[in-house]
Amino acid sequence: FSLACNDNACFLLRDLVQCSQDSSSWPRYLPGTRARGAAGGPSCTADTASVYRNEEDIGKAITESGVAREEIFITSKVGPSQHGFEATIKACEESLSKLGTHYLDLYLVHWPGVQGHKIDSPENKSVRKSTWQAMEALYESGRCRAIGVSNYMVPHLQEMLDYATVTPMANQFEIHPLLQQHETVTWCKERGIVVIAYSSLGLGSLLKHPEVHRISTQTGHPPAQVLLRWGMQHGYVVLPKSVHEERIAATSQRISLFNNTKHASVKIKRRPSANLSARAKDDAQRTLLEEVADLHEHIPYCHKAS
């Protein structure tokens, strides 16, 4: 159950749905066995998927929270084993039932690969096509207020131009300072596709990065917030996740300090290629660290952490 960490703005998913970028849209607790009150706050965001197997928990948490459905932005995803027209329709209906809602704010194709098919199988394209046609039907019926994809790279997106009548409204994929995905980000932004970044902390590896740690110490903000801020400055919706209520609350409060400040861009080179020589890798990594070290000069932290 991921929580959208948002800034002082909104992303418009075509002309129908607004994905809040206000920092108050953090739910205050994570579901599981202790799901009560997960949807606290004036505007909340829950990102889940059929393969996460927690939709029922989230649905229960939303019901018990007492927060109105229209104040909660719910995203779910159709899994790799649920591709195909009929299977996708069924998957969405099952997600709606488990979540206890009659519509989803955003529904994504979780992965371009189809379970049971080899990566180079020509059947993948035809199955992806029928899956997207089902997504369009769900969108037209109102059961999904916005539709998109996840983990789609440029070749998958370009392929969709051959058959899509509704352009994906969002693409959720891994982005962080060491995996910037420039080509896919540019392709999406040029076509008005909202970029949703997951693994903003580099699967946790960046939290212990010496330069990120140094910036954290100098600014008085935890490493996670430094990295989340990097994503927000680049115009992404970021999706940190935690099972600790106090961490969720702390991040929400501290990121709110960034509101109403000038957002300067931060440029960090992508991960060194695996085929570089050892010396070239060292040089590339050194350049990366030098640019990360400049991060604090561009991030408008208003206050030191108390």
Side-chain angles (χ1 to χ4, degrees):
F1 178 34
S2 299
L3 312 178
C5 176
N6 304 313
D7 208 354
N8 190 24
C10 284
F11 282 118
L12 184 65
L13 302 176
R14 296 295 183 270
D15 58 351
L16 179 62
V17 183
Q18 283 190 340
C19 180
S20 173
Q21 284 293 290
D22 189 289
S23 60
S24 65
S25 66
W26 278 70
R28 295 179 181 169
Y29 206 69
L30 285 168
T33 57
R34 301 170 58 197
R36 196 179 195 90
S43 178
C44 311
T45 305
D47 182 280
T48 184
S50 61
V51 298
Y52 299 165
R53 300 182 181 180
N54 64 356
E55 290 173 313
E56 288 181 312
D57 285 331
I58 293 173
K60 182 179 179 181
I62 290 172
T63 300
E64 293 179 353
S65 73
V67 177
R69 170 64 184 89
E70 59 269 20
E71 293 186 14
I72 306 172
F73 192 96
I74 302 178
T75 299
S76 193
K77 310 174 192 72
V78 57
S81 65
Q82 300 167 313
H83 276 272
F85 191 92
E86 296 298 334
T88 297
I89 299 293
K90 181 180 178 182
C92 182
E93 292 173 345
E94 290 177 350
S95 291
L96 290 172
S97 176
K98 291 176 180 178
L99 288 164
T101 182
H102 65 278
Y103 71 93
L104 293 171
D105 295 283
L106 177 61
Y107 197 43
L108 305 176
V109 181
H110 204 161
W111 198 262
V114 181
Q115 185 169 314
H117 289 64
K118 293 183 178 180
I119 295 177
D120 57 354
S121 171
E123 295 181 14
N124 282 320
K125 180 176 180 178
S126 63
V127 178
R128 282 195 291 268
K129 177 180 178 179
S130 62
T131 297
W132 188 250
Q133 289 173 333
M135 298 287 284
E136 292 176 333
L138 291 166
Y139 171 65
E140 295 296 337
S141 72
R143 282 175 284 182
C144 301
R145 299 183 67 207
I147 54 176
V149 295
S150 179
N151 298 301
Y152 271 50
M153 300 294 102
V154 172
H156 307 117
L157 295 165
Q158 288 178 327
E159 171 191 290
M160 296 184 73
L161 298 177
D162 295 336
Y163 56 75
T165 59
V166 177
T167 303
M169 300 170 190
N171 187 11
Q172 182 181 124
F173 52 102
E174 182 178 358
I175 311 175
H176 49 74
L178 294 181
L179 184 62
Q180 296 193 40
Q181 309 270 30
H182 293 295
E183 182 183 16
T184 303
V185 167
T186 299
W187 201 98
C188 290
K189 287 190 173 184
E190 287 177 348
R191 291 159 179 82
I193 299 173
V194 172
V195 174
I196 304 175
Y198 69 77
S199 294
S200 296
L201 312 184
L203 298 176
S205 63
L206 284 170
L207 293 175
K208 297 181 179 179
H209 197 292
E211 289 301 316
V212 173
H213 182 72
R214 183 177 67 81
I215 295 166
S216 170
T217 300
Q218 290 182 344
T219 61
H221 287 261
Q225 292 172 21
V226 172
L227 293 165
L228 295 177
R229 181 60 177 175
W230 177 88
M232 290 189 292
Q233 283 187 185
H234 283 73
Y236 312 145
V237 175
V238 292
L239 294 172
K241 54 186 178 181
S242 177
V243 296
H244 302 287
E245 182 177 7
E246 64 277 7
R247 292 182 185 175
I248 295 171
T251 301
S252 176
Q253 293 168 0
R254 290 175 177 175
I255 287 187
S256 68
L257 297 176
F258 304 149
N259 290 346
N260 302 317
T261 58
K262 183 179 180 180
H263 294 186
S265 62
V266 179
K267 297 181 179 180
I268 304 175
K269 292 186 180 296
R270 67 181 69 193
R271 185 191 304 274
S273 175
N275 61 5
L276 290 177
S277 67
R279 182 171 180 177
K281 286 183 180 179
D282 288 341
D283 290 341
Q285 184 69 3
R286 188 175 300 108
T287 301
L288 167 67
L289 299 187
E290 290 171 354
E291 294 189 352
V292 173
D294 290 335
L295 187 61
H296 71 280
E297 298 294 339
H298 301 282
I299 299 180
Y301 292 105
C302 303
H303 306 278
K304 292 284 187 179
S306 58

